[in-house]
Amino acid sequence: MLAGSKHRSPSRTGRGLLAALCLVSSLAFAQNQAVPLEERLPELREASRFVPERAVIQLQQLEAQGRAAPQATKVEFLTILSHSKRNLGQLKEADALAEEIMAIGKATKDNVALAKGMLAKAYIVFKQNDLKTAHQLVWEAEKIANTTSDLPLRIQAAISSGESFAEEGDFPNGMLKLQGGATLARQYGKPVELIMTLHSMAGLYYLMKQYDKGFEVLAEATTYATQINSTGRLASIKRREYGLAMETNQPERALKALLDALELQKKMGAHAMIASTLVDLSDSYLKRHDYVRCLSYAQQALEAASRLGDELNAATSRVNIGQAYLGLGKIAEGKRYFDAGLAYYDKQGDKPELQAVLAEYGSALERAGDMAGAVKAYHRERALSNELFEKQRQKSMWELQEKYDTEAKQRQIELLSRENQIKSTELENRRLQQRVWWLLAVVFALASVIVGILYRKVRTANAKLEEKNLELKAQSSLDPLTSLYNRRHFQEFMRNHIQAEKRGAGTSGEEIVGALFLLDVDHFKHVNDSYGHAAGDAVLRMISENLRVILRETDMIVRWGGEEFLAFLPAIPRSGVEEIARRLLTGISACTIDYQDTKISVNVSIGFAPFPLVPGEHPLPWERAVNLVDMALYLAKAHGRNRAYGVRGFANFEQTSMENIEQDLERAWRAGFVDLSIVLGGWPEPQADPASPAKLTLV
């Protein structure tokens, strides 16, 4: 998008673009009237992929000729028209064309037409986010295509099948399909089909984290795309190169690939591709903290996406504009754009994506100095994180229960089968008794042996069943990644826990209390983004192991959420609570893990309090105590991380209420109603906070 165009009327710009496309298409149509339709189809197929708005105009001008053509040409023409409509978002019209192609195939028993129609239908269903149905259509179309001698169709079906397996997480089968497609493409000898296969293979290598192989097949695809001078294919290859370069920590190469892709896309007028590339460019400069260039590209992306009606890219552009404004210190403008982008993710209900955007929002607000806004964003992100974590845990439990139920049914079937065998044996024994009386003793002995064996087998089966029950009970209480207790086990424990037990004075006369510590890993998203989720899992396991070393065997350690841990210490001296917080901060930050030749270390932020907490005459229930510790944790996050904030007690409680304190802990602290202590991590000497109230204890 040119810099000055943002001041034009959008409707006037759209009409001008459409008129230009119509003029170009009319001229091209007039020049190519003498060219047979079947010879023009490859060019139209490529146009439908990269510039569908231009392809549709030409296809509509040729529709009467296409429908009157021989069946093979007609089917290919309708297939290209369906793809073009789909790429423009005209799904209803595209679906009608796909159904028409399938009807032709069924009516004439033409497997080529039937497979092409099913693939077109699958792509439309995929666009509607019904992945399961789309994949089933692709695999059925692949079976039908493989009964034909149409190599381009079989190659397309193999590519679609491989990508479908990859989308279901079955990478080995996905790669087998794509390698088979590449073999067919080399036999066919046309560069476009081979470029398509190599491009998809590079995408799967990216998902498999085999980046060197991804670069290797992209280099081969680039050679073929250059030979045929395909601007669209080169632009797609550059976009794939950008993703691989980002994952291999080559930011300069990634940026160059994006800029090259943008120039190629502008050259051919691929407006939808331009909008996506502008979004990626704004992302790239955002990661470099170059907010001025990020803002420029994000504004161009927003204009391009708005003209196309592309809500996803428009929402992402608004989020990037918001981050750029926040980085430039324009907080009000930044929040306005960020909130507008968030509204789209809220409407879509894509909770994992919304959680990631909220985490970015909190970090951006924190860097901009809006601590209250950052805490609000973190609270919302944390609620989503806990919800998604709980759903994943429940899914794992359901899968385990389903597996257990299947095994139990199998054992029941085996027992019934054995019972039937016993009954058959008894009937046979009766018949034998009637025939030969002198064999009665032998038959009885044999029956006794069989019953004994079966009895022992039943006892063995019951023992295994009991073992599985114990295993299931243990797994329902433990987190599968860290082997720590899970939130459900802690909740059941606290419901039965008597607060008064082990309270009183220790041997030195000092008061013995319980204590709650809630830990959250600082910048955990950065670890996942930089090194991958496997590295994040390794960090969580490292922290869980260190918690076992730092704390006692009698202390309860819980994986509370995604990157959160909770520790409940049932009995420690009151004066030792801050010392435990200090040991947790220093112990975890001092440890590193080696992951793929890289040393990774992390810090944590902590909220803590003695337990029970007694603001007035009655102690707080454990749920409200954990909520206060949670609020203290977010104060630690908002005030710099790598530190612990602890609720020591309350003052002047008759002038306030617990509800007011819970509504805003920081305000209550500064008003003198709450006594907080701070333990700093990684500082040689504690330093006082000049803004802190008198009731603050810096440990």
Side-chain angles (χ1 to χ4, degrees):
M1 193 70 193
L2 296 175
S5 65
K6 64 182 179 180
H7 299 297
R8 299 174 186 165
S9 164
S11 60
R12 185 178 305 165
T13 304
R15 288 195 298 271
L17 176 61
L18 181 59
L21 287 172
C22 290
L23 178 60
V24 171
S25 179
S26 298
L27 291 172
F29 179 72
Q31 292 171 355
N32 291 314
Q33 271 186 320
V35 180
L37 178 60
E38 58 269 20
E39 293 181 18
R40 297 188 58 190
L41 291 179
E43 176 190 344
L44 290 169
R45 188 187 305 113
E46 287 292 279
S48 73
R49 179 180 179 86
F50 302 111
V51 281
E53 62 273 21
R54 187 181 304 163
V56 161
I57 295 170
Q58 295 185 21
L59 288 164
Q60 287 173 339
Q61 292 171 341
L62 292 166
E63 187 165 2
Q65 184 181 347
R67 289 184 176 277
Q71 181 164 305
T73 303
K74 175 183 177 180
V75 166
E76 180 63 12
F77 176 85
L78 294 176
T79 302
I80 296 170
L81 183 57
S82 176
H83 293 337
S84 300
K85 297 278 188 181
R86 184 197 73 240
N87 289 336
L88 287 175
Q90 299 171 14
L91 300 185
K92 186 175 180 180
E93 296 176 33
D95 188 58
L97 288 164
E99 292 286 352
E100 181 180 353
I101 298 164
M102 287 192 288
I104 292 171
K106 291 174 183 176
T108 61
K109 296 182 180 180
D110 182 348
N111 280 351
V112 171
L114 183 57
K116 285 184 177 182
M118 292 178 73
L119 286 174
K121 180 82 171 180
Y123 304 151
I124 295 161
V125 173
F126 180 86
K127 197 92 168 179
Q128 294 168 332
N129 296 319
D130 186 355
L131 267 65
K132 183 177 180 181
T133 304
H135 294 165
Q136 292 301 324
L137 280 167
V138 164
W139 291 325
E140 186 63 28
E142 182 190 21
K143 291 178 185 176
I144 296 170
N146 287 338
T147 66
T148 74
S149 59
D150 190 323
L151 274 181
L153 173 61
R154 292 169 61 188
I155 294 165
Q156 181 187 1
I159 294 171
S160 300
S161 177
E163 291 178 345
S164 296
F165 276 115
E167 285 158 3
E168 296 211 349
D170 188 351
F171 295 161
N173 270 327
M175 186 55 70
L176 282 174
K177 292 292 184 181
L178 292 177
Q179 287 170 342
T183 301
L184 289 174
R186 295 183 195 282
Q187 292 175 9
Y188 185 54
K190 297 291 181 67
V192 169
E193 281 71 15
L194 184 54
I195 294 167
M196 289 165 55
T197 313
L198 294 171
H199 186 268
S200 291
M201 288 175 70
L204 185 48
Y205 280 131
Y206 171 89
L207 294 174
M208 297 167 68
K209 301 187 184 302
Q210 296 182 19
Y211 304 122
D212 290 343
K213 291 183 178 179
F215 281 122
E216 184 179 329
V217 295
L218 272 190
E220 185 180 359
T222 302
T223 300
Y224 288 113
T226 304
Q227 286 176 3
I228 63 174
N229 195 27
S230 173
T231 306
R233 296 294 172 185
L234 284 170
S236 294
I237 290 168
K238 287 296 180 182
R239 289 295 306 276
R240 187 75 82 200
E241 181 185 353
Y242 160 72
L244 289 168
M246 289 298 293
E247 287 297 319
T248 52
N249 198 25
Q250 302 181 67
E252 296 300 330
R253 180 175 181 176
L255 179 60
K256 184 178 185 304
L258 271 185
L259 292 170
D260 289 346
L262 183 62
E263 288 303 312
L264 291 166
Q265 292 157 7
K266 288 180 176 178
K267 181 179 177 181
M268 63 180 172
H271 301 290
M273 296 175 72
I274 289 171
S276 297
T277 302
L278 287 169
V279 169
D280 286 341
L281 278 167
S282 68
D283 280 336
S284 180
Y285 281 113
L286 186 62
K287 289 173 182 175
R288 295 162 171 255
H289 303 294
D290 187 342
Y291 299 117
V292 174
R293 290 186 182 177
C294 169
L295 181 61
S296 172
Y297 281 113
Q299 288 172 333
Q300 292 178 56
L302 179 58
E303 292 172 359
S306 298
R307 282 196 302 272
L308 294 168
D310 185 346
E311 293 186 25
L312 175 58
N313 275 330
T316 308
S317 301
R318 289 188 176 96
V319 167
N320 286 353
I321 291 171
Q323 291 206 65
Y325 275 132
L326 289 174
L328 294 170
K330 299 179 179 180
I331 295 177
E333 291 176 277
K335 291 173 78 171
R336 179 164 58 87
Y337 273 98
F338 227 120
D339 290 339
L342 279 172
Y344 170 80
Y345 296 103
D346 264 330
K347 183 179 72 173
Q348 294 298 110
D350 187 348
K351 292 185 178 180
E353 190 65 26
L354 179 60
Q355 180 194 357
V357 176
L358 283 168
E360 291 179 6
Y361 196 12
S363 297
L365 288 169
E366 184 182 342
R367 287 193 299 270
D370 185 356
M371 295 304 178
V375 168
K376 184 178 178 182
Y378 284 137
H379 266 297
R380 188 176 174 195
E381 183 271 335
R382 174 92 157 275
L384 269 178
S385 174
N386 289 341
E387 179 183 344
L388 294 171
F389 176 78
E390 184 62 21
K391 284 183 179 178
Q392 183 61 38
R393 189 190 68 79
Q394 289 176 356
K395 181 182 177 185
S396 299
M397 288 299 300
W398 289 334
E399 290 173 352
L400 183 62
Q401 184 66 48
E402 184 178 357
K403 180 181 177 183
Y404 171 75
D405 290 343
T406 302
E407 292 176 354
K409 287 178 182 177
Q410 185 62 36
R411 285 193 295 272
Q412 186 178 12
I413 291 169
E414 291 173 0
L415 287 172
L416 288 171
S417 177
R418 289 176 186 138
E419 288 176 3
N420 288 334
Q421 290 176 9
I422 294 171
K423 290 177 180 178
S424 298
T425 303
E426 290 175 349
L427 290 172
E428 184 65 24
N429 286 343
R430 288 173 185 173
R431 286 193 292 268
L432 288 172
Q433 286 173 2
Q434 293 170 358
R435 293 177 183 178
V436 269
W437 63 269
W438 54 271
L439 291 175
L440 178 62
V442 176
V443 172
F444 180 79
L446 289 173
S448 299
V449 170
I450 292 171
V451 171
I453 292 171
L454 291 173
Y455 177 69
R456 283 196 296 273
K457 287 185 177 180
V458 169
R459 288 186 61 186
T460 302
N462 287 337
K464 288 183 178 178
L465 181 61
E466 180 65 23
E467 182 182 341
K468 288 289 183 182
N469 284 334
L470 292 173
E471 180 184 339
L472 182 62
K473 183 178 179 181
Q475 289 176 343
S476 70
S477 300
L478 298 178
D479 172 64
L481 176 65
T482 62
S483 297
L484 298 177
Y485 287 118
N486 58 26
R487 183 191 289 240
R488 176 184 172 187
H489 177 81
F490 176 76
Q491 290 169 337
E492 291 177 354
F493 171 81
M494 292 304 287
R495 277 195 290 270
N496 301 321
H497 180 68
I498 301 174
Q499 294 185 359
E501 69 178 7
K502 297 186 180 179
R503 302 292 185 264
T507 56
S508 62
E510 185 176 356
E511 181 185 3
I512 301 299
V513 297
L516 289 164
F517 293 83
L518 192 59
L519 300 81
D520 186 275
V521 183
D522 293 336
H523 301 297
F524 186 71
K525 183 178 182 297
H526 174 72
V527 174
N528 281 336
D529 289 347
S530 300
Y531 308 106
H533 288 279
D537 290 347
V539 167
L540 295 177
R541 285 193 293 269
M542 178 269 286
I543 292 175
S544 64
E545 290 166 5
N546 276 278
L547 289 175
R548 290 190 184 97
V549 172
I550 295 169
L551 301 175
R552 302 168 300 185
E553 291 185 3
T554 56
D555 299 332
M556 178 173 289
I557 310 170
V558 180
R559 186 177 179 197
W560 193 245
E563 63 267 20
E564 293 181 288
F565 299 86
L566 183 141
F568 174 62
L569 284 59
I572 61 170
R574 181 177 287 273
S575 62
V577 177
E578 285 86 0
E579 178 58 29
I580 295 293
R582 180 181 291 106
R583 283 164 53 193
L584 291 171
L585 287 169
T586 56
I588 291 172
S589 63
C591 292
T592 60
I593 60 169
D594 292 320
Y595 183 79
Q596 296 183 352
D597 301 326
T598 302
K599 290 189 178 295
I600 303 175
S601 61
V602 294
N603 297 319
V604 295
S605 299
I606 300 175
F608 66 94
F611 183 80
L613 276 171
V614 187
E617 296 180 358
H618 304 290
L620 290 177
W622 72 266
E623 295 93 337
R624 296 184 77 175
V626 169
N627 185 51
L628 273 180
V629 170
D630 179 54
M631 296 175 74
L633 164 63
Y634 270 88
L635 281 180
K637 284 278 189 187
H639 287 278
R641 293 187 173 85
N642 190 20
R643 62 192 62 204
Y645 272 56
V647 179
R648 295 166 61 93
F650 305 90
N652 304 317
F653 192 72
E654 66 281 356
Q655 300 175 19
T656 186
S657 67
M658 201 63 224
E659 288 73 17
N660 288 335
I661 292 172
E662 288 175 326
Q663 187 175 4
D664 194 329
L665 180 62
E666 184 169 9
R667 184 176 62 190
W669 164 41
R670 296 189 180 280
F673 296 129
V674 180
D675 183 9
L676 293 184
S677 59
I678 299 178
V679 179
L680 303 175
W683 288 15
E685 291 294 336
Q687 300 181 19
D689 182 352
S692 301
K695 286 290 184 181
L696 167 67
T697 302
L698 190 64
V699 180

